[in-house]
Amino acid sequence: MPRILGVDIPKEKRIEISLCYLYGVGRALSNKILKETGIDPNKRGKDLSEQEISSITTTIQKSGLRVEGDLRRDISQNIKRLMDIGSWRGLRHKRGLPVRGQRTRTNARTRKGPRKGGMAVIKKSEPAKAAPKAAAKPAGK
C-alpha cells in the first residue's frame, strides 16, 4: 500500500478515488492534484511509482492545502473557540445536540446517542389482606 502524508492509500482502487482517503481531499480536489502532477486518474494505487507518490505529496504540501492532522486541528480549535465564547453553536456542541437547527423532539439520535432507559412506572404491590370471606362460610348445606 502506498503511503501519502501518513495515510495508507488502497492499492486496488483508482488513484482518483484513493486520494479521497486523505481527510480534507474530495473528488474535485483529487482530480485537481492529479491534473497538476500529470498522473492518469484511472491508474491503480499499486501501479504508482515512488516518483509519482512523491510528486503527489509535494503538490499537496506546496499548494498550501490543509489536509489530515492540520485540518483536524483547525476544526477542533474552531469548535473549542465557539464553546469558550459561549455562542449558541458552542453550547450545542457542549451539550452534544444538533448544531445547525435540526429538530430534536424526534430523530437526532446520531448526536444524542442511544436512548436512555425509559422511566417505567412500577406499581407497588398491595400488602396481603386477611383471608377472603368466601373461606369463612361454613360448608354444609
Side-chain angles (χ1 to χ4, degrees):
M1 284 188 158
R3 286 181 71 82
I4 297 176
L5 299 175
V7 177
D8 288 335
I9 300 298
K11 56 184 176 182
E12 294 300 326
K13 293 189 178 185
R14 294 174 30 224
I15 190 63
E16 175 185 21
I17 304 300
S18 297
L19 284 178
C20 295
Y21 277 65
L22 294 170
Y23 187 77
V25 177
R27 290 284 295 271
L29 189 55
S30 170
N31 284 322
K32 182 180 171 186
I33 292 167
L34 291 174
K35 194 175 285 186
E36 285 180 26
T37 55
I39 298 172
D40 179 29
N42 294 320
K43 207 171 203 182
R44 302 286 168 167
K46 62 185 176 185
D47 299 332
L48 290 176
S49 66
E50 288 298 321
Q51 181 191 7
E52 290 172 330
I53 292 172
S54 64
S55 68
I56 290 172
T57 306
T58 55
T59 303
I60 292 172
Q61 290 172 342
K62 283 183 181 177
S63 64
L65 297 171
R66 293 201 170 142
V67 291
E68 279 304 316
D70 294 335
L71 182 59
R72 290 181 201 268
R73 192 177 321 103
D74 286 348
I75 290 172
S76 66
Q77 285 175 347
N78 289 340
I79 291 171
K80 187 175 183 304
R81 180 183 52 83
L82 289 171
M83 290 192 287
D84 289 343
I85 65 175
S87 70
W88 174 258
R89 284 173 54 200
L91 292 174
R92 303 297 283 183
H93 274 290
K94 235 182 235 183
R95 293 179 184 158
L97 293 170
V99 177
R100 297 186 176 177
Q102 296 90 336
R103 70 179 308 169
T104 57
R105 184 172 179 178
T106 59
N107 305 329
R109 292 278 39 127
T110 303
R111 281 292 293 179
K112 291 169 79 174
R115 287 186 174 85
K116 311 284 190 286
M119 301 301 284
V121 177
I122 301 172
K123 290 186 178 181
K124 294 181 181 177
S125 59
E126 296 181 18
K129 293 183 179 179
K133 293 182 182 178
K137 289 184 181 178
K141 282 188 176 176

